[in-house]
Amino acid sequence: MNTTPSSPLYSASDEVQPHIGATTRAPATGERALVLGGGGSTGNAWLIGVIAGLFDAGLDVTTADVTIGTSAGSTAAAQLAGATPPELLAAILAAAPPPRTRPVGTGRGRDMTRTVVDHLERRRAIIAASANAADMRRRLGAAALEMDAASDGTRQEQWRATVAARLPSQRWPERTVLITAVDARTGDPVAFDRHSGIDLVDAVAASCASGPPYRIGDGMYIDGGFRSNADNADLAAGYARVLVLSPFGGRTLTPPEWGLHLETQVDELRARGSRVETIFPDADAEPMFGANAMDPSLRAPAAQAGYDQGSSLAGRLADFWR
């Protein structure tokens, strides 16, 4: 296992200085960017479903010049590097638990739902106490480091094994994949790629670290969704066509004046010349996200909902993507 990140890719914002030891690079340019947002376990399943639906309808978006993955989206991006969309969808549906017999938020998955709610409440409190986005990231990092200090130290390897088991391949793909995270000590945003000198598993584990931080070498990292929002579509700047799949529907807990909302990022991309399309879960599927995002019994229906959406949208998106 390679544990020393040599050059995490950094996309600077006006308020943050480059990550210590990072290599700053010229802004990327290209034709097509695929942005896969965060959204928990159900969000990951929905992303796979949408991409599989598009694929089966004749539109393969996995050929993007860059794929930007955040949290659950980082897992999806890595999974797509080692298996086809139909294979990933079939695995989700085959692993489906028995049908739910009680309302969403009760029975199976209830404990995970409570954990997500507690996490959201803690994050809201930190946001309320923060002066701006950089301050928020520093506070989130400090809170994560406190959790790590109080832990028994066993979570790191357990979490890595969990993430590794989700990936069909643990090798970075040749095509460009960016995995977002945040430095827990400084609050600086980072994005890892195949040139960063770390394993793909570690990059994904860091991007999905919404509780305690994840250690890579001497660095400590937290969830990429803390960078700006759950999507980080601004990293697609410079690409002619940008397709954003957002399990949370572009929502963020931060104040509008911070400029972190997906809508703001989409407006900025379009102002710079990019054509942008967004896909959000249908209204009927919304109860499977948010507080219920970690309920394993909802993965199969979330994937099916995504598949149905992808199938129906493929025709409309064909000219845009091709």
Side-chain angles (χ1 to χ4, degrees), residues 9-129:
L9 177 68
Y10 176 79
S11 178
S13 67
D14 292 338
E15 63 190 19
V16 182
Q17 295 300 311
H19 177 269
I20 295 173
T23 298
T24 56
R25 303 176 186 173
T29 58
E31 188 62 28
R32 295 174 298 182
L34 176 64
V35 179
L36 304 179
S41 180
T42 58
N44 170 266
W46 179 81
L47 290 168
I48 295 300
V50 171
I51 295 170
L54 293 171
F55 186 92
D56 283 350
L59 187 60
D60 183 6
V61 297
T62 68
T63 60
D65 298 297
V66 63
T67 299
I68 299 163
T70 294
S71 198
S74 75
T75 304
Q79 289 170 325
L80 290 164
T84 67
E87 288 171 341
L88 294 171
L89 176 65
I92 294 172
L93 298 180
R100 174 185 295 277
T101 58
R102 284 178 281 186
V104 170
T106 63
R108 184 177 177 86
R110 179 176 54 193
D111 291 343
M112 290 303 302
T113 297
R114 181 68 255 172
T115 299
V116 172
V117 170
D118 291 344
H119 168 72
L120 292 173
E121 290 175 352
R122 287 193 298 271
R123 189 174 180 187
R124 286 191 180 98
I126 289 174
I127 291 171

Side-chain angles (χ1 to χ4, degrees), residues 287-309:
M288 292 184 282
F289 304 95
N292 296 305
M294 299 306 294
D295 187 338
S297 70
L298 297 178
R299 277 182 58 78
Q304 186 63 57
Y307 183 86
D308 294 342
Q309 277 189 266

